[in-house]
Amino acid sequence: MQVQHLNDSELLSQTKALAQREREVLTLILRHLKEIERRKLYCDLGYGSLFEYAVRELKYSESQASRRINAMRLIKELPQIETAISSGELSLTNASQAQTIFRSQAKESPKLAMSSSEKLEVVNSLKNKSSREAQKELLKLHPTVPAAKLLERERQVTPETTEVRFFLSDALKAKLEKVRALLGPKGLAMGYGELIEAMAELSADKLSEKRFGKKRAASESAEATFTPAPALSTPSTTRVSKNIRYIPPRVKHFIWQRDQGRCRNCKNQRNLNFDHILPVALGGNSSVENIRLLCFSCNQRQAIKIFGSEKIEEYGRSDV
């Protein structure tokens, strides 16, 4: 039946019923996201994170994906709140805001991190509140967590550019100004984007030296980048450590160049691991042919596929 043919009472009652069904479906989606994250299934589709999967595969906007993932992770710790979300007592936005605050607080002051019972008490106080009321409540209860944490945003503007919105503390702004001064006249004309780009280039050089050694880092050039070195064809023969999991720095440098500093599966550049294709536990070695770069999620997914999720959860993050 078309909605225009419904009488007033029918229209209102059916809309209310649909809203309840929508919340029930939302709760079911959160359960699915939880299990997909547990199994790291998004890696099989070439995504480096649950967030990327939610945006690109499920077609949520970035804010929609963020709210659902935050709420899901809060439910993971506090399963009691699932009923409140399903009934509409606790909005998705308020659950997401609470999780953001809890995560920020634990990161900034680990000793002051809240227990599950304390978190549950806070979340219960957010029931039937608007998002603005909930935000005030959260910041009142935990003034050590800056409101800026709730307002950080990242938005793709064009295929080549991303708009990032965040707040600078006075201390961070002073550090940036110090870098600008050290760059000399060139730094004076730089906007924040250009300044961060210059800092990123300097940091990449220094971090490359720290990870692979000054000599190897200095030997790289734009033309020679990622070109295999013949001397590394059998690097395992030069290994001196008795630790069978040990990967020599020269081998790591070779693998990093060969895989272009990206996860071989999802092309992510964050949280990379040197992964044994054939696990050491099954007889694998640390040769160039048996090592690859994988991000943490893809590394975990490979371990789950080989050893099973129960085994990985039992031992936590696995090196096998």
Side-chain angles (χ1 to χ4, degrees):
M1 179 183 294
Q2 295 181 341
V3 294
Q4 57 263 41
H5 298 309
L6 297 173
N7 63 39
D8 294 351
S9 178
E10 290 171 335
L11 181 60
L12 290 172
S13 63
Q14 289 190 24
T15 301
K16 186 174 182 179
L18 286 171
Q20 179 57 38
R21 282 171 53 189
E22 183 179 31
R23 288 191 293 270
E24 291 171 356
V25 170
L26 169 63
T27 304
L28 189 57
I29 288 173
L30 297 181
R31 291 178 189 171
H32 279 68
L33 290 176
K34 176 183 174 183
E35 184 62 17
I36 288 171
E37 182 173 59
R38 188 181 76 85
R39 302 186 197 181
K40 302 290 188 293
L41 285 176
Y42 49 82
C43 294
D44 288 356
L45 302 177
Y47 300 122
S49 66
L50 184 64
F51 177 79
E52 187 180 2
Y53 163 77
V55 171
R56 296 178 59 185
E57 188 73 18
L58 302 183
K59 308 303 180 185
Y60 287 124
S61 69
E62 292 181 352
S63 59
Q64 289 173 331
S66 181
R67 285 195 296 271
R68 281 157 179 77
I69 292 171
N70 278 340
M72 175 272 291
R73 289 175 178 161
L74 187 60
I75 289 175
K76 190 189 303 185
E77 183 177 356
L78 306 174
Q80 308 96 314
I81 70 171
E82 184 178 298
T83 302
I85 291 178
S86 179
S87 67
E89 285 184 286
L90 181 65
S91 71
L92 188 68
T93 298
N94 290 354
S96 176
Q97 286 192 124
Q99 176 65 4
T100 299
I101 288 289
F102 297 151
R103 186 177 62 244
S104 298
Q105 186 183 52
K107 182 178 180 181
E108 294 177 6
S109 306
K111 293 182 179 180
L112 299 178
M114 302 176 67
S115 65
S116 294
S117 59
E118 290 173 326
K119 290 179 181 179
L120 181 59
E121 184 178 349
V122 171
V123 172
N124 284 335
S125 73
L126 305 180
K127 290 180 179 178
N128 299 311
K129 282 186 168 62
S130 68
S131 59
R132 187 178 295 275
E133 290 171 335
Q135 187 178 107
K136 289 181 179 179
E137 188 74 16
L138 287 167
L139 295 176
K140 179 178 67 177
L141 290 171
H142 308 292
T144 57
V145 179
K149 288 290 184 182
L150 297 175
L151 301 174
E152 288 189 7
R153 294 290 183 270
E154 183 176 308
R155 181 173 67 93
Q156 195 77 31
V157 179
T158 72
E160 296 81 24
T161 58
T162 300
E163 178 187 69
V164 180
R165 175 184 175 182
F166 65 98
F167 292 80
L168 296 177
S169 66
D170 290 342
L172 176 54
K173 186 175 181 181
K175 290 177 183 178
L176 291 176
E177 291 306 317
K178 182 177 180 180
V179 173
R180 188 193 302 277
L182 290 171
L183 288 171
K186 180 176 66 174
L188 295 177
M190 287 182 174
Y192 279 118
E194 295 170 311
L195 184 59
I196 292 173
E197 181 178 5
M199 292 170 59
E201 290 178 356
L202 292 170
S203 298
D205 291 341
K206 291 296 182 182
L207 291 172
S208 182
E209 289 180 11
K210 183 177 180 180
R211 179 176 282 239
F212 305 118
K214 189 172 183 178
K215 184 176 179 180
R216 293 188 188 94
S219 68
E220 295 180 9
S221 66
E223 295 76 20
T225 301
F226 317 127
T227 301
L232 286 175
S233 58
T234 57
S236 56
T237 60
T238 64
R239 186 174 58 201
V240 295
S241 173
K242 293 182 180 180
N243 182 356
I244 58 175
R245 300 180 188 276
Y246 174 73
I247 305 173
R250 62 196 298 267
V251 176
K252 289 184 177 181
H253 182 242
F254 173 83
I255 299 299
W256 191 275
Q257 286 188 302
R258 185 198 66 192
D259 293 351
Q260 303 184 30
R262 296 176 180 271
C263 173
R264 287 278 289 274
N265 181 54
C266 69
K267 309 306 178 186
N268 196 349
Q269 293 180 281
R270 296 184 178 183
N271 207 2
L272 297 174
N273 299 267
F274 290 94
D275 173 67
H276 291 82
I277 298 172
L278 177 64
V280 171
L282 300 180
N285 59 28
S286 296
S287 66
V288 163
E289 294 77 14
N290 195 48
I291 302 291
R292 62 185 169 186
L293 281 180
L294 289 182
C295 69
F296 174 76
S297 291
C298 291
N299 189 7
Q300 287 288 88
R301 177 58 185 162
Q302 289 303 309
I304 288 171
K305 291 168 77 171
I306 295 172
F307 297 102
S309 57
E310 291 77 12
K311 191 76 170 179
I312 299 306
E313 289 173 356
E314 179 183 353
Y315 291 101
R317 179 179 175 182
S318 174
D319 279 30
V320 295

